[in-house]
Amino acid sequence: MAITVHKTDRLLLDSLVVHPLVKVHIVDMSSGNYILKSDNNRAVVFYYENKGIEYITPLLCKPYDLHNNHSVCPEWDEMLLINEDMTYILEQGVIIFFELIDFVSFSVANSQTKPEGWHKIAWGFLKPLGKNGELNINKKVRLQLYQSHKYKKCPSNVCPIFHWWKKKLVKYPSSLYVSVCEIEPPESTTRTLRSKTPIQPERGSSETLETDPDHRRNSQLSNEITTMKKQDQKLWSRLNYQTCKLPNRRIAELPSFKEGCFVMKFSHDGLHLSCAIQIDAMYFVVLYSVKALEEIYRYPAHQGMIYNINWSADDRYIVSSSADCTVGIWNFEQRSFIEMLPHPSFVYASDVDRNNTIATGCYDYTVRMWGLSSETYDLLQELEGHKGYVTSLCFASNHHSLYSADSVGIVIEWRRGEDSHHLWSFSREYKWIDLKDTIINQIVLHKRERRLLIHARDSTLRLVDLKTGCTLQWLQGETNNRFRTICSFSPCGTYIFAGGENGTVSVWNADLGDLIATYEPFNKQRVTIHCVQFHPHDNILAISHYGHNVPILIAVFDHTISGESNIGLNILQRDDEVRVDYNQVGTKTEIVRKKSNMVAAKGRRIKLESVIEKINQIMETPSS
């Protein structure tokens, strides 16, 4: 037996109706109890359901996000499989209730207005066998919806909304479209990571994994990765000591599904790119191979937006922080889930140091330190001191310093103790007048870790000297006042890349503070560039946008291109600077030499003019 939930007509506007779903109850019409299973040893709703449950439990379809789909008419078109014979169901005198509900936020549920955690929208019912003996199965039917009431306290085997049917029915101005069909069970099923039907097993046990072809393929892939790491110097066109060059040719458009990609991160070895992508109502961490430019795996990570992704120093673990108040930890080599770290509110920031200590920044103004003990992470310490929610975190390479930024323009340095407890403590607070009450999107340490890049939501990036706290460079040219965007250093430390809300990517020289180039990657589309990442070893650039069906762009440097770039690269020419072509950009000494020559020439001219002016003054002074 299968129940398909198709769609509803237009729903009434309600601030709590954001991602509605349908809950299905199969109930005895005479008693209000859930229908008993024909065989207690058979899985009817879920493959691993408790065999001690004697009745058919309620089913839920997937949520439909009205906001992301720009609709007030949810369309699920989802089939719910029930492992029972249709004849048996019809013999029991069944009525099927369809409850249209929505889950509420933690704050709403905690306020006691919705203590059960659900917002009731409407409900309807279907009698598979009508009074006149006509069957309402194997066809699409339209059900009138009615206004909901309060739940009734009752035993678990009794439907809590059965008494609604006995009350006076007040119509809700919408309808629900469903189908109840009789289907033949499949002869065989494939194992999956998460079972979705009562006849589909999971591939969770070690015995299953050893015989599973997907696991063997993943093991083979892990061996290939190890081999590639040993040949790391042969993989990339750029040597470690070379200055980076600006990518000028688009080579790939990676799929980012309907909503695009909000944040992404290259692995430290440069072989993989992890991307935060929304697929339907779930947020995934999708992994792409940098060499093959194709998807290799995806983790069903979170139920809320993913704000940050980090790789551990050895690329064994992936850490993701999310708006669903959790931080997810994944084993990349084994393609497995490790642990979820719970938080009291949204988690905007996270970082991992070389000892796999995890720092997380939360909406409650607190930085939390998590340490690995045996095979699980434990909360080690909570660091308080911020006056706004924590937006970004970054560890220093020496493992002794941690920098955190917040929503009121303050950066705090925390120091790790040298004693046996290794506790973190407040070390220094950085404040700037022009950053007061300004949200900081991101902080990034320069390659030599003497300077800190502060990416604020006032259309300005700042390079700050960590010893004195003075601002060395103000980098302007990009518009960023509304959304969080992610910037990136080139691995040589020469260039800074940042996207803006006007659809462009700006490139600055970190030593001179000059805007030297811009990109228009999406053909002059005015979409926000949410994330820009430069490859850790090669001249490769990744660009992404979130909110529309726009692909992730991958660009490389091609020395053979001397004309127009297909990635929209535009090298800027200043009045006081000689124009630099594609091959010259990337040569740090060339730009510095030209700048130095111009400054020296200007200084000599000023000195000569001052000498002439003094001579004129002497000549014009009357003798006494």
Side-chain angles (χ1 to χ4, degrees), residues 344-415:
S345 189
F346 310 129
V347 189
Y348 288 113
S350 59
D351 199 11
V352 187
D353 74 353
R354 64 186 182 187
N355 295 327
N356 290 330
T357 299
I358 298 177
T360 60
C362 198
Y363 188 74
D364 64 350
Y365 306 178
T366 304
V367 176
R368 290 173 174 83
M369 309 301 297
W370 305 79
L372 184 63
S373 62
S374 64
E375 297 181 356
T376 60
Y377 272 88
D378 296 327
L379 179 61
L380 302 179
Q381 197 174 356
E382 293 184 342
L383 307 178
E384 298 179 349
H386 281 286
K387 298 177 178 61
Y389 59 86
V390 182
T391 58
S392 184
L393 295 165
C394 65
F395 277 106
S397 60
N398 61 13
H399 180 59
H400 295 297
S401 296
L402 170 68
Y403 298 91
S404 59
D406 61 26
S407 61
V408 294
I410 294 176
V411 175
I412 295 180
E413 179 186 3
W414 310 90
R415 296 287 294 180

Side-chain angles (χ1 to χ4, degrees), residues 386-392 405-411 430-443 454-462 480-483:
H386 281 286
K387 298 177 178 61
Y389 59 86
V390 182
T391 58
S392 184
D406 61 26
S407 61
V408 294
I410 294 176
V411 175
Y430 295 87
K431 286 183 178 181
W432 300 270
I433 296 177
D434 58 341
L435 268 179
K436 185 178 180 182
D437 297 328
T438 302
I439 299 174
I440 296 177
N441 289 331
Q442 182 190 15
I443 52 175
I454 301 176
H455 184 195
R457 209 171 298 178
D458 62 350
S459 302
T460 305
L461 289 82
R462 296 163 176 82
N480 180 211
N481 298 305
R482 300 170 56 198
F483 305 113

Side-chain angles (χ1 to χ4, degrees), residues 442-498:
Q442 182 190 15
I443 52 175
V444 187
L445 280 169
H446 186 263
K447 180 180 180 181
R448 297 178 180 86
E449 298 191 352
R450 297 174 183 174
R451 292 178 286 173
L452 183 70
L453 177 64
I454 301 176
H455 184 195
R457 209 171 298 178
D458 62 350
S459 302
T460 305
L461 289 82
R462 296 163 176 82
L463 267 175
V464 174
D465 180 75
L466 287 174
K467 186 175 182 179
T468 63
C470 297
T471 302
L472 304 176
Q473 306 282 1
W474 283 267
L475 310 177
Q476 296 177 329
E478 277 299 346
T479 302
N480 180 211
N481 298 305
R482 300 170 56 198
F483 305 113
R484 184 192 185 202
T485 58
I486 305 298
C487 64
S488 176
F489 271 112
S490 61
C492 64
T494 303
Y495 301 120
I496 299 170
F497 297 78

Side-chain angles (χ1 to χ4, degrees), residues 236-465:
W236 317 116
S237 61
R238 171 187 166 272
L239 299 178
N240 288 335
Y241 59 84
Q242 290 180 327
T243 303
C244 296
K245 298 188 177 183
L246 302 186
N248 56 4
R249 182 168 69 90
R250 183 176 67 246
I251 61 170
E253 295 183 356
L254 304 180
S256 60
F257 299 86
K258 291 183 179 180
E259 297 297 329
C261 173
F262 184 71
V263 64
M264 53 188 173
K265 192 80 170 181
F266 283 104
S267 58
H268 295 289
D269 58 22
L271 297 176
H272 301 94
L273 177 67
S274 58
C275 304
I277 295 177
Q278 180 182 355
I279 305 175
D280 296 329
M282 182 69 70
Y283 292 82
F284 289 77
V285 175
V286 181
L287 298 178
Y288 291 100
S289 169
V290 174
K291 303 301 289 186
L293 296 174
E294 61 183 18
E295 180 184 340
I296 59 172
Y297 201 75
R298 65 176 68 165
Y299 299 96
H302 296 278
Q303 295 180 349
M305 177 180 286
I306 298 175
Y307 289 114
N308 204 14
I309 296 177
N310 304 101
W311 291 79
S312 62
D314 55 4
D315 288 333
R316 289 183 57 195
Y317 304 113
I318 300 174
V319 178
S320 58
S321 56
S322 170
D324 66 359
C325 308
T326 63
V327 169
I329 307 173
W330 317 87
N331 189 309
F332 168 65
E333 293 181 349
Q334 298 180 6
R335 304 292 193 271
S336 62
F337 166 74
I338 297 179
E339 192 174 0
M340 280 285 182
L341 306 181
H343 289 72
S345 189
F346 310 129
V347 189
Y348 288 113
S350 59
D351 199 11
V352 187
D353 74 353
R354 64 186 182 187
N355 295 327
N356 290 330
T357 299
I358 298 177
T360 60
C362 198
Y363 188 74
D364 64 350
Y365 306 178
T366 304
V367 176
R368 290 173 174 83
M369 309 301 297
W370 305 79
L372 184 63
S373 62
S374 64
E375 297 181 356
T376 60
Y377 272 88
D378 296 327
L379 179 61
L380 302 179
Q381 197 174 356
E382 293 184 342
L383 307 178
E384 298 179 349
H386 281 286
K387 298 177 178 61
Y389 59 86
V390 182
T391 58
S392 184
L393 295 165
C394 65
F395 277 106
S397 60
N398 61 13
H399 180 59
H400 295 297
S401 296
L402 170 68
Y403 298 91
S404 59
D406 61 26
S407 61
V408 294
I410 294 176
V411 175
I412 295 180
E413 179 186 3
W414 310 90
R415 296 287 294 180
R416 183 172 178 264
E418 300 294 339
D419 57 4
S420 59
H421 298 290
H422 300 303
L423 295 179
W424 294 81
S425 60
F426 176 89
S427 175
R428 183 177 180 181
E429 183 180 72
Y430 295 87
K431 286 183 178 181
W432 300 270
I433 296 177
D434 58 341
L435 268 179
K436 185 178 180 182
D437 297 328
T438 302
I439 299 174
I440 296 177
N441 289 331
Q442 182 190 15
I443 52 175
V444 187
L445 280 169
H446 186 263
K447 180 180 180 181
R448 297 178 180 86
E449 298 191 352
R450 297 174 183 174
R451 292 178 286 173
L452 183 70
L453 177 64
I454 301 176
H455 184 195
R457 209 171 298 178
D458 62 350
S459 302
T460 305
L461 289 82
R462 296 163 176 82
L463 267 175
V464 174
D465 180 75

Side-chain angles (χ1 to χ4, degrees), residues 562-615:
S562 58
E564 185 177 353
S565 168
N566 66 354
I567 194 67
L569 174 61
N570 178 33
I571 304 298
L572 302 182
Q573 181 179 9
R574 295 179 48 151
D575 295 336
D576 58 347
E577 187 170 274
V578 179
R579 181 176 177 84
V580 185
D581 61 22
Y582 284 112
N583 295 322
Q584 290 174 326
V585 169
T587 308
K588 175 181 175 182
T589 55
E590 179 71 14
I591 297 177
V592 173
R593 182 180 61 80
K594 291 176 181 178
K595 189 75 175 180
S596 300
N597 291 341
M598 288 185 292
V599 171
K602 185 176 181 181
R604 288 193 297 269
R605 184 172 66 252
I606 293 174
K607 289 182 178 180
L608 180 60
E609 290 175 352
S610 64
V611 170
I612 293 174
E613 183 179 357
K614 289 182 178 179
I615 292 175

Side-chain angles (χ1 to χ4, degrees), residues 82-298:
I82 300 170
N83 193 21
E84 279 287 5
D85 185 69
M86 178 65 79
T87 305
Y88 171 77
I89 295 294
L90 295 176
E91 290 175 351
Q92 305 304 309
V94 165
I95 183 171
I96 303 177
F97 292 103
F98 297 89
E99 188 182 1
L100 188 61
I101 56 179
D102 200 340
F103 53 89
V104 298
S105 64
F106 176 79
S107 59
V108 175
N110 197 41
S111 65
Q112 300 301 319
T113 58
K114 308 286 181 183
E116 66 278 354
W118 295 105
H119 172 61
K120 300 179 285 294
I121 304 170
W123 68 284
F125 64 91
L126 172 67
K127 297 180 180 179
L129 182 61
K131 289 183 178 180
N132 55 2
E134 182 180 356
L135 292 175
N136 296 318
I137 62 174
N138 298 323
K139 60 182 179 181
K140 188 176 182 179
V141 296
R142 171 183 174 275
L143 304 179
Q144 173 63 50
L145 293 177
Y146 301 96
Q147 293 184 10
S148 302
H149 304 280
K150 291 184 178 181
Y151 287 134
K152 182 180 180 180
K153 292 184 179 180
C154 55
S156 59
N157 65 327
V158 178
C159 178
I161 69 171
F162 178 72
H163 67 286
W164 296 358
W165 183 50
K166 300 294 185 179
K167 291 186 175 183
K168 181 180 179 180
L169 303 181
V170 180
K171 289 185 178 181
Y172 179 91
S174 185
S175 302
L176 175 67
Y177 298 86
V178 299
S179 301
V180 179
C181 303
E182 184 177 10
I183 61 173
E184 292 291 333
E187 296 181 358
S188 61
T189 58
T190 58
R191 293 180 178 269
T192 182
L193 185 64
R194 289 291 179 267
S195 175
K196 297 181 180 179
T197 69
I199 57 176
Q200 186 179 41
E202 294 182 357
R203 57 181 190 199
S205 65
S206 58
E207 297 177 357
T208 302
L209 285 173
E210 291 299 328
T211 58
D212 185 70
D214 289 340
H215 174 71
R216 291 199 299 270
R217 185 173 67 252
N218 289 338
S219 299
Q220 182 180 0
L221 180 61
S222 297
N223 295 333
E224 293 176 358
I225 292 172
T226 303
T227 304
M228 293 176 72
K229 287 181 178 180
K230 294 179 181 179
Q231 302 172 348
D232 185 48
Q233 293 297 331
K234 300 179 181 179
L235 287 175
W236 317 116
S237 61
R238 171 187 166 272
L239 299 178
N240 288 335
Y241 59 84
Q242 290 180 327
T243 303
C244 296
K245 298 188 177 183
L246 302 186
N248 56 4
R249 182 168 69 90
R250 183 176 67 246
I251 61 170
E253 295 183 356
L254 304 180
S256 60
F257 299 86
K258 291 183 179 180
E259 297 297 329
C261 173
F262 184 71
V263 64
M264 53 188 173
K265 192 80 170 181
F266 283 104
S267 58
H268 295 289
D269 58 22
L271 297 176
H272 301 94
L273 177 67
S274 58
C275 304
I277 295 177
Q278 180 182 355
I279 305 175
D280 296 329
M282 182 69 70
Y283 292 82
F284 289 77
V285 175
V286 181
L287 298 178
Y288 291 100
S289 169
V290 174
K291 303 301 289 186
L293 296 174
E294 61 183 18
E295 180 184 340
I296 59 172
Y297 201 75
R298 65 176 68 165

Side-chain angles (χ1 to χ4, degrees), residues 14-69:
D14 188 337
S15 61
L16 295 180
V17 179
V18 181
H19 20 54
L21 53 103
V22 176
K23 188 175 184 179
V24 180
H25 308 262
I26 304 177
V27 181
D28 188 315
M29 194 184 310
S30 59
S31 64
N33 295 342
Y34 289 114
I35 293 297
L36 297 176
K37 296 191 292 188
S38 60
D39 184 357
N40 289 344
N41 295 320
R42 179 197 298 174
V44 176
V45 174
F46 177 59
Y47 186 82
Y48 295 102
E49 70 184 46
N50 194 333
K51 293 183 179 180
I53 299 177
E54 300 177 348
Y55 52 88
I56 301 175
T57 57
L59 296 89
L60 289 170
C61 73
K62 293 180 180 179
Y64 183 88
D65 197 313
L66 298 176
H67 176 73
N68 289 338
N69 290 284

